[in-house]
Amino acid sequence: MIETGKALVIDCCKKLAEHKLTAAGDVVSLRVEEGMLITDTAKDIAEVTEADIRFVGKNAAANETEATHLAIYASRDDINGVIMNHAPFCTGIAKKLGSFPATLDDMAQVIGRNAKVAPSYSATDILKTMSGRNACLVRGGGVIATGRTLDEAFTGSLVLEKGALCYVGSAIIAKPVKISFIDAVLMRLVYRLKYSKKDQAAKLAEQKGGAL
Amino acid sequence: MTERELRQAVKDAGVKLLENNLVQGTWGNISIRLDDKKMVVTPSAMDYIRMRPEDTVVVDIETLEYAGDIKPTSEKKIHAAIYRDRPEIGAVIHSHPLWSSAAAAARTDIPVLKEEHKKLIGGDTVRAGAYGLPGTKKLTKGAVEAMKGRNACFLSNHGIIACAETIEGAFEVCKAMEENSRAYIESIVAKELGKESVTVDDIFEVFYKRMGK
């Protein structure tokens, strides 16, 4: 079962690299019974193999990165996959802005009405910044994207980077038009409770069957 | 093509959209005209990799009725409205490409820069359809109006619509939209910085200036 979970993590790492969303120090983790599977921070995401993924028990974090991942799983029952990456447009926004709004409906649905920038990678800062959302950026760093499944966390990474590019690009063309608060809340509710429910339930069953 | 072959073509097009990052996750949708009265569309909220040809749905272009338990895409109204309005159209793609979505987020028309793209898109500009929530009449009406005399348009805060006589042609229009949108954004940056080609850092230099950072 752990092997299946590792296969899911490796597949996710490959997709992140294919979409050029990664840099040194990126990490992918998957919730499993009594802990998580997590990649080695020293290993290039594109080259992760089974040997680079280890099981970490709920109270056995060896560093701040592992502690943050475990804290996310401990405090958010809805999250079963976490990705820390460095997508270029998110990284650019995280350098100078405190947040950016959803200007596209898919970002409002998957991430929330905006993405905020956490002051650091500490578990406290990340959990606070990600409250009510599925992702955040980190000041001077990259992105943390989460999901009900690792597949949804990967989609979140893509959607967040696209949301960042679109915010930047629309500001260059004219002026970004953000999704209104009411529409964004409505879109997120419909996405979570209706649109994606069946697809994510099927993927979570596969993930649990293989790794929980 | 037979109905079976069209269903397979819709499935293949979905995978192609995903592989080319023209959509993310289960978003976007595709249709191919079956005949004067019916179209084959992608199902609602189903991953294109998991989707089987038999999961696609045959929908009546006039009534939007369909048979079976699988729900068609909620954007079937846009597809049907385009087929009703444009008899020459045989395939419609709604996708979420990166740079085109940036223009869609600005809710503004943009120029088409290259002649080859003008031929594919069908005009000198790409129009932005009026904003509307997904699946609404407002979104459909805005898309049909913005598509008049064109093969593509932006859906405000949403993505793009591209159409052609064939599914292969609709893909070419999608690609033209993405290439043109990127070229337009980069041309603004290049002009502002006095450069011939631009990098992501250049784009951010202009962006930070816009943001007063």
Side-chain angles (χ1 to χ4, degrees):
Chain A
M1 291 174 90
I2 289 289
E3 278 65 35
T4 309
K6 286 186 175 183
L8 288 172
V9 170
I10 291 169
D11 182 53
C12 179
C13 290
K14 278 184 184 161
K15 288 193 289 187
L16 284 167
E18 281 167 10
H19 283 83
K20 299 183 171 55
L21 297 176
T22 62
D26 290 347
V27 180
V28 173
S29 76
L30 175 79
R31 186 199 288 271
V32 295
E33 197 173 351
E34 299 303 318
M36 64 179 179
L37 295 175
I38 189 164
T39 59
D40 183 346
T41 53
K43 188 76 180 183
D44 184 338
I45 282 285
E47 293 170 3
V48 165
T49 65
E50 279 198 21
D52 306 310
I53 304 168
R54 67 188 196 96
F55 170 79
V56 177
K58 283 179 180 173
N59 300 305
N63 52 49
E64 188 185 34
T65 299
E66 292 181 359
T68 299
H69 282 243
L70 285 173
I72 292 171
Y73 291 126
S75 67
R76 295 276 299 264
D77 288 343
D78 58 319
I79 290 173
N80 293 300
V82 177
I83 296 171
M84 284 182 173
N85 70 316
H86 286 78
F89 281 87
C90 286
T91 304
I93 283 183
K95 274 183 191 167
K96 295 197 178 184
L97 272 66
S99 68
F100 75 97
T103 57
L104 295 174
D105 53 1
D106 51 12
M107 180 173 154
Q109 290 169 6
V110 183
I111 307 297
R113 63 189 170 85
N114 61 16
K116 294 183 173 179
V117 180
S120 80
Y121 277 104
S122 78
T124 309
D125 284 342
I126 297 300
L127 287 171
K128 189 179 169 189
T129 309
M130 228 168 54
S131 175
R133 292 164 182 78
N134 267 22
C136 69
L137 313 183
V138 183
R139 171 74 64 207
V143 180
I144 297 184
T146 69
R148 287 168 287 184
T149 61
L150 192 54
D151 179 79
E152 189 176 47
F154 169 70
T155 301
S157 300
L158 282 179
V159 166
L160 191 61
E161 175 65 356
K162 188 178 76 167
L165 185 155
C166 288
Y167 185 60
V168 171
S170 59
I172 288 168
I173 292 173
K175 190 178 176 187
V177 182
K178 67 179 182 182
I179 306 262
S180 73
F181 176 81
I182 290 173
D183 282 4
V185 170
L186 188 65
M187 286 172 184
R188 185 151 168 81
L189 270 175
V190 170
Y191 170 77
R192 287 188 70 83
L193 302 179
K194 191 178 172 191
Y195 181 79
S196 65
K197 201 173 175 183
K198 197 174 166 188
D199 185 60
Q200 282 301 306
K203 285 173 177 167
L204 184 59
E206 279 178 15
Q207 188 170 308
K208 280 183 173 176
L212 285 183
Chain B
M1 286 172 95
T2 64
E3 181 181 318
R4 191 175 173 184
E5 287 168 336
L6 286 181
R7 286 177 182 269
Q8 183 66 52
V10 169
K11 151 76 184 179
D12 293 345
V15 174
K16 199 171 163 186
L17 277 184
L18 204 58
E19 286 174 352
N20 286 278
N21 201 21
L22 295 173
V23 294
Q24 299 76 33
T26 60
W27 290 280
N29 33 72
I30 297 157
S31 70
I32 301 180
R33 191 194 284 273
L34 181 59
D35 55 35
D36 289 346
K37 295 177 180 172
K38 290 189 169 63
M39 59 181 178
V40 179
V41 303
T42 42
S44 177
M46 198 180 287
D47 186 312
Y48 293 117
I49 303 293
R50 300 160 70 91
M51 183 181 98
R52 303 163 303 170
E54 56 267 38
D55 294 326
T56 60
V57 187
V58 175
V59 177
D60 189 297
I61 290 168
E62 290 294 334
T63 65
L64 300 180
E65 287 173 350
Y66 60 94
D69 297 330
I70 300 175
K71 279 179 67 178
T73 167
S74 60
E75 302 300 0
K76 58 187 176 297
K77 291 175 202 161
I78 295 182
H79 293 254
I82 291 169
Y83 291 127
R84 287 197 302 267
D85 194 51
R86 305 273 294 273
E88 81 280 14
I89 296 302
V92 178
I93 295 175
H94 162 44
S95 63
H96 295 193
L98 302 179
W99 298 88
S100 303
S101 296
R107 291 194 195 175
T108 187
D109 301 355
I110 70 166
V112 182
L113 305 179
K114 289 185 178 175
E115 285 304 318
E116 62 189 272
H117 292 152
K118 286 178 186 174
K119 283 179 189 164
L120 284 163
I121 292 166
D124 293 343
T125 58
V126 183
R127 301 189 199 105
Y131 172 76
L133 284 168
T136 59
K137 282 182 186 170
K138 194 177 172 188
L139 183 68
T140 300
K141 193 178 169 206
V144 172
E145 281 175 9
M147 289 282 284
K148 291 283 182 197
R150 300 280 191 280
N151 294 326
C153 72
F154 298 123
L155 297 177
S156 294
N157 300 100
H158 193 72
I160 68 163
I161 292 281
C163 64
E165 288 180 25
T166 64
I167 190 68
E168 293 81 9
F171 255 103
E172 290 304 308
V173 177
C174 268
K175 281 166 65 181
M177 285 284 281
E178 186 64 348
E179 286 168 10
N180 181 64
S181 299
R182 181 171 189 163
Y184 179 59
I185 292 168
E186 290 183 344
S187 72
I188 296 171
V189 173
K191 191 176 176 188
E192 202 154 320
L193 298 182
K195 290 187 169 183
E196 284 190 12
S197 61
V198 301
T199 64
V200 172
D201 286 344
D202 295 329
I203 291 171
F204 269 99
E205 187 179 336
V206 174
F207 171 69
Y208 293 145
K209 208 186 291 178
R210 295 272 200 281
M211 293 286 130
K213 298 288 176 185

